[in-house]
Amino acid sequence: MEHRGRVVESTGSWYEVTYRHDGEAKKINCRLPGRFRLEEHKLTNPIAVGDVVHFDINDDGSGSIQEIEERQNYLIRESTHHQEGNQILVANIDCAYVVQSIKKPTIKRGFLDRFLVTCEAYQIPARIVLNKMDLATGADQPKIDDFAELYDSLGYKVLRTSIKDEKSLERLKEDLREKTSVFVGPSGVGKTSLLNHIEPSINRKVGSVSDYNEKGTHTTTFAKLLPLHMGGYLVDTPGLREFGLVNIEPWELSLFFPEMLEFRQQCKFNNCTHSHEPGCGVMQAFEEGHIHPDRYDSYLNILDSLEND
């Protein structure tokens, strides 16, 4: 008899799946037949947390996955350390939250904008969590306000949080309610601490941040889909040092910068990269102050990486 369930954790060789049988919630550890790995040779993980799967139960009580349902969406990044293939972080989500901290470590604009490009490309609603607000001084506030105003104007809601500010946590909880969401960010930005305060029963291990290089230690080894008491699910992912883009060509990058969509229609050339071409509507808009310098710099940096990949 075939069953249907959702992958809540993946360790690379085993997949923990939740399902219902006779009205009762159950969990089972499943393996994946080799044919799936051959078919998905461009991926480091043919099955991701959040996938809906069909499986058979073996005589030893383990499961064997027979089918993966078509994904509503997925968050993907390029594998690092010269590994072949790409990595799907999570599938079938309602919202993705990129977590950044104002200090220890500071905001990584390159990481942030690459993440937002991926969300635009793969049609995933995105939010920004600006964490560790308790470390902000009066001198920091104008920069924080400018940052929030910029990204809010682009359609990315910015949530300012601190584990020492219960009201900020309540606002975040309300935003997460009844959705399947994912937290993504570099190590050390406080994803796990936020999670522990949102859902204390989880009690995930929290790492430290080095004063020398402001890099956090990895405390989450594998992505896991965690139920929330107020309804919905949250996926906690391992801290990422990089966020490489997948299947995005240089000429189409501007499609995923919302502030460039209107102006790119005024370009002289259809395949304009908005970096050097004459008659470029985007470059003119930047020169006239319609596109923020930080975002245009991010665009050029990402474009350069795509052209030289």
Side-chain angles (χ1 to χ4, degrees):
M1 177 182 176
E2 194 171 80
H3 300 268
R4 179 178 183 270
R6 192 174 194 188
V7 178
V8 296
E9 186 171 16
S10 165
T11 64
S13 55
W14 287 95
Y15 302 90
E16 186 176 292
V17 176
T18 60
Y19 68 107
R20 298 193 72 82
H21 183 64
D22 292 335
E24 183 180 349
K26 295 190 173 186
K27 289 185 180 180
I28 187 171
N29 287 322
C30 296
R31 283 194 181 275
L32 186 67
R35 71 173 186 275
F36 283 103
R37 297 190 179 277
L38 293 174
E39 290 167 2
E40 299 286 356
H41 64 280
K42 292 183 179 179
L43 296 172
T44 60
N45 57 328
I47 291 183
V49 168
D51 270 330
V52 177
V53 298
H54 296 247
F55 62 93
D56 293 329
I57 298 179
N58 302 318
D59 293 340
D60 63 0
S62 66
S64 179
I65 294 172
Q66 303 300 318
E67 180 186 346
I68 308 166
E69 290 191 7
E70 183 178 354
R71 295 173 176 126
Q72 165 195 327
N73 57 31
Y74 55 91
L75 190 59
I76 189 170
R77 72 159 184 159
E78 188 178 54
S79 292
T80 56
H81 307 304
H82 306 292
Q83 284 183 297
E84 288 193 19
N86 302 309
Q87 179 188 20
I88 295 180
L89 294 174
V90 61
N92 302 316
I93 52 176
D94 299 312
C95 191
Y97 295 76
V98 56
V99 184
Q100 297 279 298
S101 54
I102 63 163
K103 292 181 180 178
K104 297 185 177 181
T106 54
I107 297 171
K108 303 292 187 287
R109 293 296 283 262
F111 184 105
L112 170 65
D113 289 331
R114 283 172 173 271
F115 178 87
L116 295 176
V117 164
T118 294
C119 289
E120 292 286 346
Y122 288 86
Q123 300 179 324
I124 301 169
R127 304 263 202 274
I128 299 170
V129 176
L130 200 51
N131 196 29
K132 300 187 182 180
M133 285 297 300
D134 54 289
L135 299 180
T137 65
D140 296 322
Q141 285 301 334
K143 289 183 179 179
I144 294 169
D145 291 341
D146 288 346
F147 174 92
E149 183 179 352
L150 168 61
Y151 284 94
D152 272 326
S153 73
L154 299 175
Y156 304 115
K157 183 176 182 179
V158 178
L159 295 153
R160 308 183 198 196
T161 59
S162 165
I163 59 172
K164 298 180 180 180
D165 180 359
E166 190 59 38
K167 287 185 178 179
S168 74
L169 297 177
E170 287 302 320
R171 288 192 292 269
L172 180 56
K173 288 178 187 178
E174 190 58 35
D175 211 69
L176 293 166
R177 184 184 301 275
E178 299 296 343
K179 292 188 296 194
T180 297
S181 307
V182 59
F183 275 4
V184 176
S187 296
V189 295
K191 298 188 307 297
T192 304
S193 293
L194 281 175
L195 179 60
N196 286 343
H197 281 78
I198 291 166
E199 196 65 52
S201 62
I202 293 169
N203 195 27
R204 304 273 265 186
K205 183 182 176 183
V206 178
S208 58
V209 177
S210 164
D211 289 331
Y212 173 71
N213 59 18
E214 289 198 342
K215 290 182 179 178
T217 56
H218 296 277
T219 55
T220 303
T221 309
F222 303 105
K224 187 165 185 176
L225 189 69
L226 303 163
L228 300 175
H229 71 275
M230 64 274 196
Y233 297 87
L234 180 60
V235 181
D236 185 24
T237 60
L240 307 175
R241 297 194 190 280
E242 304 169 25
F243 202 93
L245 303 184
V246 176
N247 296 331
I248 294 176
E249 298 296 329
W251 65 266
E252 64 180 345
L253 176 62
S254 61
L255 289 168
F256 311 122
F257 276 73
E259 65 268 50
M260 295 184 181
L261 290 177
E262 175 187 350
F263 302 112
R264 73 189 303 275
Q265 297 176 34
Q266 301 164 18
C267 292
K268 182 177 179 180
F269 302 105
N270 290 332
N271 61 346
C272 185
T273 63
H274 323 300
S275 60
H276 65 278
E277 297 89 344
C280 173
V282 171
M283 290 173 65
Q284 182 179 340
F286 166 67
E287 290 165 1
E288 294 175 354
H290 300 302
I291 296 173
H292 196 283
D294 289 345
R295 284 281 287 177
Y296 188 63
D297 282 348
S298 264
Y299 170 81
L300 292 178
N301 288 332
I302 297 171
L303 178 67
D304 182 65
S305 70
L306 293 177
E307 290 178 331
N308 294 292
D309 193 10

